[in-house]
Amino acid sequence: MKKIILTSFLFLSLSLLILTNSYAAVMQNYCLIPPYVMRGGVPPNVVIVYEKGSAIMNRAYSGDYNPATTYYGFFDSTANYTYDSAGYFIKSGTCTPSTTINTNCFSGNVLNW
């Protein structure tokens, strides 16, 4: 009985050893370059979607401007900004906003409104 169990165990062990070696993976089976890396001169596919629908064109705050209200947005509500020749609003600590139209100083709160 012990001889039969030992023989069958030996046979099973050898057959598993032979099968595992015959299906062993080689390095060529693995991808050396990740699939997201561009190769072969194929240009990437990039889509930039710009929406100009009705919901995006609405104002963030409705109604008239109220200086007592803090309006939140891209600009610092407590800072003042000047408009430069390149078309950008630059934070300025020296200008003071005015109610006249021909000034180059804007409150960040107004710009957020």
Side-chain angles (χ1 to χ4, degrees):
M1 182 70 178
K2 286 184 181 182
K3 192 173 189 178
I4 294 173
I5 293 175
L6 184 62
T7 306
S8 61
F9 177 74
L10 217 66
F11 177 73
L12 185 63
S13 298
L14 286 173
S15 63
L16 285 175
L17 186 65
I18 291 170
L19 287 176
T20 55
N21 283 340
S22 64
Y23 293 110
V26 292
M27 197 56 164
Q28 286 79 16
N29 293 343
Y30 295 103
C31 181
L32 299 176
I33 300 173
Y36 56 84
V37 175
M38 187 176 75
R39 60 181 166 172
V42 179
N45 293 324
V46 177
V47 176
I48 298 174
V49 179
Y50 174 74
E51 186 198 341
K52 196 176 176 185
S54 62
I56 197 87
M57 299 302 286
N58 293 339
R59 288 182 169 187
Y61 298 100
S62 61
D64 294 332
Y65 175 73
N66 182 2
T69 304
T70 301
Y71 297 99
Y72 299 100
F74 291 114
F75 299 96
D76 183 4
S77 298
T78 60
N80 296 325
Y81 293 85
T82 56
Y83 189 74
D84 68 351
S85 61
Y88 298 104
F89 287 99
I90 307 296
K91 191 183 277 192
S92 172
T94 59
C95 75
T96 304
S98 166
T99 56
T100 60
I101 295 175
N102 292 329
T103 184
N104 191 23
C105 186
F106 303 93
S107 166
N109 206 28
V110 171
L111 293 174
N112 286 335
W113 173 70

